């Protein structure tokens, strides 16, 4: 259990619940799109002029929520295969390219799925899961990106960067689709479970598992036939595309998988703050961070940016070629547009900065600059960026937040494209260098997670905690869902009042430490939970874990 001094630097109102009256949105009793739009407009009106909506206590009707817990929805591992590939190269420059690919894929749900509102997390709620993914392969040309083998479709038609269309009102599969499939007890082995809401023929016999497996059943004779019925619902994608394990699937069937485990916990309720960590031990990778957002209505959009405790993602390499490196990935600013039209889409602005520290060789830094969208016309979703060197101990590079700020002598490579389509790159120190693909995002789909069945979960795990709300929403019993949701919220208020009466503070179970740095620290209970998740039985053999240099040294010393 975390010590009582873990939050000594954080105000008490940050680590405990708030007893203030919630701002409610009236339920129109209309579950259709028109009724939802009326409720959204009412909500926006209440939020006008509010400095930070995230600090408000909003009580929303259940019909406005998607049937997925917030902690499950936010995890930055939509493409865990790209995360697992970060430490595959001996070249520090190529490792930075790998981090860039991961960064562009970490929020794929907002490209492939609709904009949605998950459940608000309650204090002490936690979620854990894992992914078993096929390692990437590498082409003979080192300038080309690694070959992925999971959940790909045909490349989007090549579109002029000045004529990219705005998002369609129809959306392909998302994490929500995967979650619905898991709760309803449908297929646990087919890729179809990820996109069951899009298929004309998605029904399968019930399975004992509570969640889809990461990959299709390679021995399923009907898989190809059912795959052909999928609609990707992406106007820029080929109509003939299919979600599948790309490449020579039969020969990849027995290939060891890489397992990535994930754990997150809500450590504050007012404002909402959660801590998270992900481990990929066979590739010596760790990702940690604090999630907190600040949001306000700006014009006709909702502007979302990191909160004060949210310093970004921290990817650490604990062994292998990049041992000792840490990549700090900051978050850009996002806007949810179309609030009054009921046709939501996301645009991104500002910049993402990736800084590599602890390296023995070149110290590298990357800037992803998202281009501002015009007030008129369609959004283009464009970006440009550079990879450059910097000098440790100096601070000049901290002022370089745009491509034009970086001195030409420092630049190693440039890249540009669309964060929804193709991103290309080239080196600048090679006279004959030509642009080549860094990542084709249009081909990527969200890889579903594996979650333990409900009977193995504790009462504070997300799916177990929200089980009745989810079941009611899926059955379209919105009044019943709202009743269960209000009961969960009331219990949180009662627990907060009891702590105040006793003069005690909430202490997280799985995370400890000073959150000011943005890097949470696992407690012994947190490490045990991740180890248990890694030992969960899977359908495929797992890649063996090789000891890091630190482990070998400790063993030798003992």
């Amino acid at each position: 259990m975390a010590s009582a001094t873990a939050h000594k630097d954080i105000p008490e109102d940050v680590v405990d619940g708030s007893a203030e009256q919630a701002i409610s949105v009236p339920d129109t009793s209309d579950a259709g799109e028109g009724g939802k739009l009326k409720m959204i407009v009412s909500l926006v009106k209440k939020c006008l002029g509010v400095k930070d909506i995230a600090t408000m206590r909003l009580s929303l009707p259940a019909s406005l929520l998607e049937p997925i817990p917030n902690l499950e929805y936010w995890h930055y591992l939509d493409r865990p295969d790209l995360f697992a590939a970060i430490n595959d190269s001996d070249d520090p420059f190529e490792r930075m390219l790998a981090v860039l690919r991961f960064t562009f894929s970490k929020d794929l749900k907002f490209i492939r799925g609709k904009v949605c509102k998950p459940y608000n997390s309650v204090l002490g709620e936690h979620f854990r899961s894992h992914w078993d993914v096929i390692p990437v392969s590498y082409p003979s040309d080192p300038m080309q990106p690694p070959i992925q083998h999971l959940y790909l479709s045909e490349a989007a038609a090549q579109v002029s960067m000045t004529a990219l269309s705005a998002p369609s009102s129809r959306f392909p599969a998302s994490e929500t689709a995967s979650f619905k499939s898991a709760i309803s007890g449908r297929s646990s082995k087919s890729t179809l479970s990820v996109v069951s809401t899009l298929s004309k023929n998605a029904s399968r016999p019930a399975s004992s598992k509570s969640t889809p497996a990461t990959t299709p059943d390679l021995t399923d004779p009907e898989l190809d036939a059912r795959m052909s019925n999928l609609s990707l619902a992406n106007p820029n994608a080929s109509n003939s595309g299919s979600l599948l394990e790309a490449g020579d699937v039969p020969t990849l069937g027995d290939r060891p998988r890489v397992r990535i485990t994930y754990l997150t916990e809500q450590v504050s309720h007012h404002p909402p703050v959660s801590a998270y960590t992900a481990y990929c031990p066979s590739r010596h990778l760790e990702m940690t961070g604090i999630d907190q957002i600040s949001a306000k209505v700006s014009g006709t959009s909702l502007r979302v940016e990191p909160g004060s405790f949210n310093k970004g993602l921290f990817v650490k390499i604990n062994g292998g070629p990049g041992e000792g490196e840490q990549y700090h990935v900051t978050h850009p600013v996002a806007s949810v547009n179309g609030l009054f039209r009921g046709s939501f889409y996301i645009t991104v602005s500002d910049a993402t900065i990736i800084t590599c520290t602890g390296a023995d060789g070149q110290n590298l830094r990357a800037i992803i600059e998202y281009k501002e969208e015009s007030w008129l016309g369609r959004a283009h979703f464009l970006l440009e960026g550079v990879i450059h060197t910097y000098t440790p101990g100096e601070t000049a590079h901290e002022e370089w937040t745009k491509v034009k700020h970086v001195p030409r002598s420092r630049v190693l490579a440039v890249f540009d494209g669309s964060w929804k389509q193709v991103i290309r790159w080239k080196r600048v120190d090679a006279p004959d260098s030509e642009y080549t693909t860094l990542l084709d995002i249009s081909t990527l789909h969200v890889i579903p997670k594996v979650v333990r069945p409900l009977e193995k979960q504790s009462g504070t795990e997300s799916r177990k905690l929200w089980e009745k709300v989810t079941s009611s929403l899926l059955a379209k019993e919105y009044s019943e869902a709202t009743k269960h949701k209000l009961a969960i919220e009331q219990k949180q208020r009662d627990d907060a009042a009891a702590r105040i009466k006793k003069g005690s503070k909430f202490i997280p179970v799985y995370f400890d430490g000073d959150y000011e740095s943005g890097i949470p620290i696992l407690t012994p209970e947190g490490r045990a939970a991740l180890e248990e998740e890694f030992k969960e039985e899977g359908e495929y053999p797992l890649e063996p874990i090789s000891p890091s240099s630190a482990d070998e040294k400790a063993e030798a010393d003992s």
Side-chain angles (χ1 to χ4, degrees):
M1 185 70 69
S3 67
T5 61
H7 308 287
K8 60 184 183 331
D9 297 323
I10 303 177
E12 183 171 349
D13 63 338
V14 171
V15 297
D16 215 333
S18 172
E20 68 184 42
Q21 183 65 35
I23 297 177
S24 62
V25 177
D27 193 339
T28 63
S29 300
D30 180 2
E33 294 304 316
K36 289 183 178 181
L37 182 57
K38 289 180 182 178
M39 287 188 281
I40 291 170
V41 171
S42 173
L43 173 61
V44 171
K45 288 180 178 179
K46 290 177 180 290
C47 295
L48 289 173
V50 176
K51 185 177 180 180
D52 187 0
I53 298 172
T55 63
M56 299 171 63
R57 281 193 50 238
L58 295 173
S59 180
L60 300 180
S63 57
L64 276 182
L65 304 176
E66 284 293 314
I68 185 169
N70 187 65
L71 292 183
E72 176 171 357
Y73 186 71
W74 291 95
H75 53 68
Y76 308 112
L77 286 168
D78 288 339
R79 294 299 302 195
D81 54 342
L82 287 175
F83 171 71
I86 287 175
N87 194 28
D88 285 359
S89 175
D90 293 330
D91 186 337
F93 178 81
E94 291 182 3
R95 290 196 293 274
M96 175 59 84
L97 290 179
V99 174
L100 276 171
R101 293 187 186 101
F102 160 68
T103 302
F104 288 127
S105 71
K106 67 182 176 63
D107 294 312
L108 189 61
K109 64 174 66 67
F110 299 121
I111 300 174
R112 288 308 199 183
K114 64 181 179 180
V115 179
C116 69
K117 175 66 179 76
Y119 312 142
N120 286 337
S121 305
V122 303
L123 197 61
E125 177 184 345
H126 68 283
F127 175 78
R128 51 187 266 203
S129 64
H130 68 266
W131 292 259
D132 292 342
V133 297
I134 299 177
V136 300
S137 304
Y138 294 91
S140 57
D141 183 356
M143 294 292 289
Q144 297 296 325
I147 302 167
Q148 299 169 81
H149 303 284
L150 293 169
Y151 292 91
L152 307 175
S153 63
E154 293 183 11
Q158 293 298 313
V159 182
S160 168
M161 287 302 174
T162 60
L164 291 171
S165 62
S168 168
S169 59
R170 299 171 62 206
F171 294 92
S174 68
E175 282 287 313
T176 308
S178 171
F179 185 75
K180 289 178 180 178
S181 212
I183 292 296
S184 63
R186 295 195 179 192
S187 169
S188 68
K189 291 185 178 181
S190 172
T191 312
L192 209 55
S193 62
V194 189
V195 285
S196 59
T197 57
L198 303 176
S199 174
K200 299 177 182 177
N201 186 21
S203 299
R204 291 195 65 185
S207 166
S208 60
K209 283 195 174 183
S210 71
T211 186
T214 309
T215 52
D217 184 349
L218 302 178
T219 62
D220 184 353
E222 299 180 2
L223 180 60
D224 291 339
R226 292 204 310 278
M227 284 296 208
S228 64
N229 290 326
L230 293 178
S231 169
L232 297 179
N234 184 342
N236 293 323
S238 167
N239 290 331
S240 62
S242 296
L243 297 182
L244 46 77
E245 287 193 346
D248 191 357
V249 174
T251 62
L252 291 173
D254 295 328
R255 185 171 177 177
R257 307 293 166 112
V258 175
R259 175 165 291 187
I260 299 98
T261 59
Y262 179 76
L263 174 67
T264 181
E265 181 180 19
Q266 191 76 7
V267 297
S268 165
H269 177 62
H270 187 74
V273 178
S274 60
Y276 62 88
T277 189
Y279 274 95
C280 182
S282 67
R283 300 297 175 95
H284 307 293
L285 289 169
E286 172 188 353
M287 178 180 71
T288 59
I290 295 291
D291 258 339
Q292 180 202 3
I293 63 170
S294 174
K296 66 178 179 179
V297 176
S298 177
T300 60
S301 65
L302 178 67
R303 181 180 171 91
V304 181
E305 54 191 48
S308 59
F309 290 102
N310 186 341
K311 304 296 195 299
L313 289 76
F314 297 84
V315 177
K316 300 177 183 178
I317 301 180
N318 301 315
E323 183 170 12
E325 290 180 350
Q326 176 173 280
Y327 294 84
H328 178 204
V329 183
T330 66
H331 294 295
V333 174
S335 295
V336 180
N337 304 274
L339 295 182
F340 295 102
R341 297 194 306 271
S343 178
F344 307 126
Y345 67 96
I346 290 176
T347 55
V348 183
S349 59
D350 204 0
T352 288
I353 309 294
I354 304 174
T355 306
C356 177
T357 56
D360 292 333
Q362 267 184 328
N363 291 91
L364 301 180
R365 187 173 180 264
I367 300 174
I368 305 171
E369 182 181 343
Y370 296 93
K371 312 311 290 183
E372 292 288 344
E373 303 289 354
S374 170
W375 285 97
L376 301 174
R378 294 176 173 177
H380 291 166
F381 315 110
L382 301 181
L383 61 84
E384 65 175 333
V386 296
I387 300 174
H388 66 84
T389 60
Y390 73 95
T391 303
E394 296 184 358
T395 60
H397 63 274
E398 295 175 1
E399 304 298 323
W400 304 344
T401 58
K402 294 187 176 182
V403 171
K404 65 181 181 181
H405 295 161
V406 184
R408 176 65 181 80
S409 60
R410 291 283 192 173
V411 177
L412 299 181
V414 295
F415 53 88
D416 60 26
S418 163
W419 55 266
K420 300 185 76 169
Q421 301 262 335
V422 178
I423 300 171
R424 60 177 193 166
W425 76 282
K426 73 171 183 177
R427 297 195 72 122
V428 299
D429 53 359
D432 298 328
S433 176
E434 296 182 355
Y435 277 101
T436 187
T437 299
L438 177 70
L439 187 66
D440 186 350
I441 301 169
S442 71
T443 67
L444 305 182
H445 295 260
V446 174
I447 296 177
K449 62 184 73 69
V450 179
V451 181
R452 291 153 40 252
L454 292 175
E455 57 267 23
K456 294 182 66 175
Q457 298 182 24
S458 70
T460 55
E461 287 192 60
S462 292
R463 286 194 180 182
K464 187 74 170 180
L465 177 68
W466 295 96
E467 178 186 7
K468 292 181 179 179
V469 178
T470 300
S471 300
S472 299
L473 284 178
L474 294 177
K476 300 187 184 304
E477 298 173 350
Y478 297 112
S479 296
E480 193 72 10
T482 298
K483 182 182 75 173
H484 292 305
K485 172 179 172 291
L486 292 175
I488 292 173
E489 293 171 345
Q490 184 59 47
K491 184 180 185 306
Q492 180 167 236
R493 287 191 285 272
D494 293 344
D495 290 345
R499 283 192 296 272
I500 293 174
K501 186 175 181 180
K502 293 178 181 178
S504 62
K505 293 184 178 181
F506 168 77
I507 302 174
V509 175
Y510 300 105
F511 292 91
D512 192 1
D514 178 5
Y515 299 135
E516 288 291 339
S517 67
I519 304 177
I521 300 172
L522 281 171
T523 63
E525 290 84 356
R527 289 192 292 272
L530 283 173
E531 290 172 1
E532 289 175 4
E533 193 67 28
F534 190 83
K535 293 175 182 177
E536 281 290 315
E537 184 178 353
E539 295 187 46
Y540 303 96
L542 295 180
E543 190 175 77
I545 301 175
S546 59
S548 65
S549 299
D551 294 334
E552 292 174 339
K553 184 179 185 300
E555 184 176 347
D557 292 342
S558 62

